Amino acid sequence: GVQTCALPILLAGIATVEEPPRPQPDLDEPEPAAIEFAHLIEPLAEGVLLLDERRVVVAVNAAAARILGRPTDVMLGSSLIVALRDHDLAEIVRASTGEPTSVHVSSSDHDVVATSSAVEAGPVRTLLVLEDVTELGRARRARADLVANMSHELRTPVAAARAIAETLQAGVSEPEEAARFHDRLVEEIGRLDAMVDRLLRLSRLESGSESMAVEALRPAELLRTAVERIEPLVEARGAHVAWACEEDLPEIAGDRARVLEVLSNLLDNAAKFAPAGSAVRAWAERDASGLVRFEVRDAGPGILPGDRARVFERFYTGDRARGSGGGTGLGLAIARHIIGRLGGRIWVADRSPGTTICFTLPVVAPVDAGAEGDGTSPAAEGAAGEA
């Protein structure tokens, strides 16, 4: 696309090929030059507003409308303050220093770097460029949070391993005590190894470099297998698992190992917060949109509404955000990326008491009636071949 920094030159170029001066048209009828400018700025990713000598908007693109949270037809032909409805932006335009200035647009909750420059191109006297840096700011904050959280999470096992190693180095007279310290050292190193492994795994999922072996899967079989895997651990914590799933639910498209990983993670996480003697419940059903929805519920303390979206962040410090991977705080973040890669969605349901985490997966698309063969989808054939 055209770089915004070249806009004043381009605008001037268009202005030089205008027809000879003619009577001033009505405000409701845009000048031909303004129409040309509108076509020029529309494809730009940055928001652009062009104002005349009275600071009336003569052209505005869709990006500016999105950033400002104002329809283009409302801003076009309006005065500066009516179009922007933002005092800080209006002051930047009045100054028109050509210097980029950071400002928060409260009406649309966007962080913006605004640059206002004085130009002379036909009817245009002011060029206002808005660069949306909201996502960039979020990414910077996320990186800072990740570094801080990693430092916090790594500090405990590193400190413990160091203390144990120093104790062994100093000498432990009793063989049984020495063996116990050795076991604890191996355990702490294992925690560090698991954390690093999960970080690498999450990085591969986020970058899309981890492949998915998508096949047709039966929801009931997935639930049964996940429960069998995790049931002894749940019972060891004083709870029990209750699950239900109709056998005739349609097959879903997914990677078997990774869907089982998500289900096992949710069941294990639920067991950590389920009161002794209570049930961890799991089930699957067809939802209103035609997808298959899995749900895992516990009777624990629940998650505050403000935390429900954040529990899927890496290392989120809320207690319920802790995944099952040895307390790494990465389990739900990995689950979110797995389900997203498979075309589904995962969320915390607005229910109480306790916590219910749901995720959906798409149903295997049926083969057209006119297709050759016995009507079995390729994915289902692959699944049957492995059975």
Side-chain angles (χ1 to χ4, degrees), residues 329-368:
L330 298 170
L332 290 180
I334 290 174
R336 180 187 64 175
H337 283 284
I338 289 174
I339 297 302
R341 285 280 306 278
L342 293 173
R345 186 171 71 92
I346 187 169
W347 71 98
V348 179
D350 186 14
R351 300 177 194 166
S352 60
T355 297
T356 303
I357 297 184
C358 314
F359 69 88
T360 57
L361 286 173
V363 173
V364 173
V367 176
D368 293 339

Side-chain angles (χ1 to χ4, degrees), residues 64-110:
R66 175 182 55 80
I67 293 171
L68 297 172
R70 304 270 290 152
T72 53
D73 56 351
V74 171
M75 291 188 286
L76 198 60
S78 300
S79 64
L80 172 66
I81 196 63
V82 172
L84 299 180
R85 288 198 174 179
D86 189 287
H87 175 74
D88 293 333
L89 276 177
E91 287 301 316
I92 291 171
V93 172
R94 291 189 181 101
S96 292
T97 61
E99 295 294 327
T101 305
S102 298
V103 62
H104 180 77
V105 181
S106 55
S107 59
S108 62
D109 199 28
H110 281 74

Side-chain angles (χ1 to χ4, degrees), residues 237 239 265-276 278-280 297-303 318-324 332 354-355 357:
R237 292 172 178 166
N265 180 280
L266 298 183
L267 287 166
D268 182 35
N269 213 32
K272 290 180 180 179
F273 299 92
S278 66
V280 172
R297 181 178 183 179
D298 65 65
I303 303 175
D319 288 341
R320 289 306 308 256
R322 315 303 290 178
S324 67
L332 290 180
T355 297
I357 297 184

Side-chain angles (χ1 to χ4, degrees), residues 225-270:
T225 303
V227 168
E228 289 174 353
R229 284 183 179 181
I230 210 72
E231 197 166 26
L233 185 57
V234 175
E235 291 177 350
R237 292 172 178 166
H240 64 279
V241 183
W243 70 280
C245 180
E246 297 178 3
E247 293 288 343
D248 60 351
L249 279 180
E251 292 182 321
I252 57 174
D255 182 303
R256 187 176 186 277
R258 287 168 176 80
V259 176
L260 283 174
E261 178 184 355
V262 173
L263 281 170
S264 300
N265 180 280
L266 298 183
L267 287 166
D268 182 35
N269 213 32

Side-chain angles (χ1 to χ4, degrees), residues 164-165 168-169 172 175-189:
I164 295 169
L168 290 171
Q169 187 179 37
V172 179
E176 292 182 359
E177 281 292 297
R180 186 171 65 85
F181 277 113
H182 276 110
D183 290 343
R184 285 192 57 195
L185 181 60
V186 170
E187 181 181 336
E188 294 300 336
I189 293 174

Side-chain angles (χ1 to χ4, degrees), residues 300-312:
I303 303 175
L304 294 173
D307 292 335
R308 289 172 183 167
R310 297 201 63 193
V311 295
F312 299 100

